[in-house]
C-alpha cells in the first residue's frame, strides 16, 4: 500500500508542478502582451518609474489601497497572507538538503503563522457568507477556493499539533523528486489528505482568481506613471498603427 501511495503522489506532484509552472508562465506572458491603450493610473499616482515600483511594492507587501478602502477586510487579508508567507517559507525546508537561514529565522513563528492563516481564511469565508451584499456577488468558486485553502491550513495544523507524521520521510520524498528519484512517503491518512489538497491547489491555481497575485503587477491602474501631459501614452499596437498611417 505504501508503494502505491508513493508512486501516486510522485506522479501527481510532477504533473501538478508542470501545470503550475507552465500555466502560470503562460498567464503571465498573456498579461504582459495585453495592450493598455489608456492612461489610467489610480491617482494620486507616482510621476516616475521608481515611484511606480515603490507603489507596487507597497501594494504587494502591505495592501495599501485595501487598507485605505476597508480596514476590517485588510485585517482579514493580512492575517491570511502574512501567515501564508511564513508557512510557505517554512515549507521550503522540505526541498532543502540543509535548512537555510531564512527558514531557520521563521521556524519559531510557524505555529502562530498557521493559526493566523486559518483565522484569516475563516474570517474571509464568514464575510462572504454573512454579509448580504458580499454574498450576492460571491460565486461558488470563491467559496470553494476558501474551503480548499482552509482544508490545507487545518490539516497542516492538525499534523503539527495532533497527529504527527514522519517529516524526515516527507522531506526525503520531496528532495528525491527534485533529483528524479522516488523515495517512500508515509501513508498517514492526514498527510494524504493534506497533500491531495495541496496538489489540487497547484492544479487549479493558473486558472483561478488566485491569479490576482501576479496580476497586480500588470494592472495599468497601478503600474503606470501619472505623466500624461509630459509624455504621450501610446501602447505598442497603437504605435505600429500610427507608423503605418504616416
Amino acid at each position: 500500500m505504501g508503494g502505491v501511495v508513493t508512486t501516486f503522489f510522485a506522479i501527481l506532484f510532477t504533473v501538478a508542478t508542470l501545470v503550475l509552472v507552465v500555466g502560470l508562465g503562460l498567464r503571465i506572458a498573456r498579461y504582459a502582451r495585453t495592450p493598455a491603450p489608456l492612461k489610467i493610473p489610480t491617482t494620486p499616482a507616482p510621476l516616475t518609474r521608481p515611484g511606480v515600483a515603490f507603489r507596487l511594492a507597497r501594494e504587494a507587501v502591505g495592501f495599501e489601497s485595501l487598507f485605505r478602502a476597508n480596514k476590517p477586510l485588510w485585517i482579514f487579508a493580512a492575517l491570511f497572507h502574512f501567515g501564508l508567507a511564513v508557512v510557505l517559507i517554512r515549507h521550503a525546508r522540505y526541498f532543502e538538503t540543509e535548512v537555510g537561514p531564512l527558514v531557520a529565522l521563521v521556524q519559531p513563528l510557524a505555529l502562530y503563522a498557521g493559526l493566523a492563516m486559518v483565522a484569516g481564511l475563516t474570517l474571509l469565508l464568514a464575510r462572504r457568507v454573512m454579509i448580504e451584499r458580499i454574498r450576492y456577488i460571491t460565486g461558488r468558486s470563491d467559496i470553494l477556493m476558501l474551503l480548499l485553502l482552509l482544508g490545507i491550513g487545518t490539516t497542516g495544523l492538525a499534523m503539527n499539533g495532533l497527529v504527527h507524521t514522519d517529516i524526515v520521510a516527507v522531506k526525503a520524498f520531496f528532495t528525491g523528486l527534485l533529483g528524479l528519484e522516488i523515495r517512500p512517503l508515509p501513508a498517514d491518512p492526514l498527510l494524504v489528505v493534506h497533500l491531495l489538497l495541496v496538489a489540487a491547489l497547484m492544479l487549479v491555481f493558473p486558472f483561478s482568481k488566485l491569479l490576482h497575485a501576479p496580476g497586480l503587477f500588470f494592472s495599468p491602474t497601478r503600474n503606470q506613471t501619472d505623466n500624461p501631459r509630459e509624455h504621450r501614452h501610446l501602447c505598442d499596437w497603437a504605435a505600429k498603427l500610427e507608423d503605418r498611417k504616416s
Side-chain angles (χ1 to χ4, degrees):
M1 183 65 178
V4 174
V5 171
T6 297
T7 303
F8 171 76
F9 276 106
I11 296 172
L12 177 61
F13 272 96
T14 300
V15 173
T17 301
L18 288 173
V19 171
L20 177 65
V21 173
V22 175
L24 195 55
L26 291 174
R27 285 286 184 171
I28 290 175
R30 182 178 177 183
Y31 290 158
R33 292 194 306 266
T34 301
L38 301 177
K39 191 75 167 178
I40 52 172
T42 301
T43 55
L47 304 179
T48 63
R49 297 309 297 177
V52 168
F54 185 53
R55 181 190 200 182
L56 285 172
R58 295 199 310 268
E59 284 288 346
V61 177
F63 319 127
E64 181 182 47
S65 59
L66 181 60
F67 179 79
R68 292 176 177 175
N70 190 328
K71 288 181 176 56
L73 179 57
W74 180 86
I75 293 173
F76 303 164
L79 281 172
F80 163 56
H81 286 92
F82 293 151
L84 176 63
V86 173
V87 168
L88 288 176
I89 292 171
R90 180 177 181 259
H91 275 64
R93 66 178 179 161
Y94 294 107
F95 304 93
E96 299 175 329
T97 53
E98 294 183 5
V99 176
L102 185 57
V103 176
L105 179 65
V106 303
Q107 180 69 29
L109 305 174
L111 177 60
Y112 305 106
L115 292 171
M117 173 184 165
V118 170
L121 285 167
T122 303
L123 291 168
L124 290 170
L125 181 60
R127 172 179 174 270
R128 288 277 182 184
V129 175
M130 297 175 64
I131 301 177
E132 184 177 358
R133 62 186 177 83
I134 303 299
R135 186 170 63 248
Y136 180 76
I137 61 172
T138 295
R140 283 178 294 181
S141 63
D142 299 314
I143 299 296
L144 289 173
M145 202 55 58
L146 288 171
L147 290 175
L148 176 59
L149 290 165
L150 262 174
I152 293 172
T154 52
T155 52
L157 284 174
M159 284 190 295
N160 191 1
L162 300 176
V163 183
H164 297 284
T165 191
D166 187 352
I167 62 172
V168 175
V170 174
K171 179 172 181 175
F173 172 77
F174 282 106
T175 53
L177 283 185
L178 292 177
L180 302 179
E181 178 185 354
I182 298 180
R183 297 172 182 169
L185 179 71
D188 299 340
L190 201 57
L191 175 65
V192 168
V193 173
H194 183 71
L195 293 180
L196 282 173
L197 294 174
V198 171
L201 178 63
M202 294 170 67
L203 288 169
V204 303
F205 189 94
F207 316 101
S208 70
K209 292 183 179 180
L210 297 176
L211 283 170
H212 67 266
L216 164 69
F217 299 95
F218 298 93
S219 171
T221 63
R222 294 288 181 269
N223 65 14
Q224 291 184 349
T225 55
D226 188 16
N227 57 355
R229 292 176 179 169
E230 294 79 7
H231 301 282
R232 184 186 179 195
H233 175 69
L234 205 61
C235 62
D236 294 339
W237 63 267
K240 293 178 182 177
L241 184 62
E242 190 170 86
D243 290 341
R244 291 174 185 173
K245 290 181 179 179
S246 61

